[in-house]
Amino acid sequence: MPKSTKIVLMINTAIMLIALWSLYRLYLQSSSEMLIALAHWTLFGGMLVSNLIILFKAKALWKFMRAMLYVVALLQALNLMIIAKDFLTLSGFLAMVYTLMVVIYLIGFRGYLNSHTFFEWFMGAYIKKEQD
């Protein structure tokens, strides 16, 4: 496994943990916004599924993972617009910065999935089998 793939898996795991913490915080409040909770659940699920696809090298799900990450990035951008109302508070500002970084990361992650290094490692055995 390339070192860059290990780094991506670690970042995905960190994002999953932050999403779980945010969900815990949302559900402690009795008046949590459902759309924000949906965005956090999809972020957690998207990172979990993408980690599993990478770890198990599920070649048939590679295109699905790219489309799923695009949807998760769109939901996170929507979440950014929802939490913009709290921009003038410290927690709101930090939440916006974090969400913006996650959106940029998700776009970069989709780009990494198209990189030659990842594609060669991920599809390596499959390509060799087709050539034989």
Side-chain angles (χ1 to χ4, degrees):
M1 180 181 293
K3 184 178 180 180
S4 56
T5 305
K6 292 177 186 175
I7 291 171
V8 164
L9 290 173
M10 285 190 304
I11 292 172
N12 287 354
T13 304
I15 289 174
M16 283 173 32
L17 292 174
I18 292 171
L20 277 177
W21 176 76
S22 296
L23 283 167
Y24 174 73
R25 223 179 82 219
L26 275 173
Y27 286 115
L28 281 180
Q29 301 170 357
S30 60
S31 62
S32 64
E33 296 184 30
M34 292 308 292
L35 201 52
I36 294 175
L38 173 70
H40 287 301
W41 275 115
T42 57
L43 179 64
F44 173 73
M47 293 293 103
L48 179 66
V49 168
S50 64
N51 276 358
L52 291 175
I53 290 172
I54 291 172
L55 285 175
F56 293 125
K57 283 186 160 183
K59 293 166 186 60
L61 298 175
W62 178 71
K63 288 184 181 180
F64 165 75
M65 181 171 51
R66 292 178 59 231
M68 176 193 61
L69 289 174
Y70 184 69
V71 170
V72 171
L74 285 174
L75 278 171
Q76 287 302 306
L78 177 65
N79 187 25
L80 181 68
M81 302 316 293
I82 292 171
I83 62 175
K85 68 182 184 325
D86 299 327
F87 178 70
L88 295 178
T89 64
L90 179 62
S91 62
F93 176 74
L94 293 176
M96 283 186 66
V97 169
Y98 166 73
T99 304
L100 183 62
M101 287 175 36
V102 167
V103 169
I104 292 170
Y105 170 74
L106 288 171
I107 294 168
F109 183 33
R110 285 189 70 235
Y112 174 70
L113 293 177
N114 292 331
S115 72
H116 182 68
T117 305
F118 177 78
F119 192 77
E120 191 174 90
W121 171 78
F122 192 71
M123 298 287 193
Y126 182 71
I127 292 172
K128 288 178 186 175
K129 189 188 311 181
E130 281 186 354
Q131 290 175 352
D132 291 340

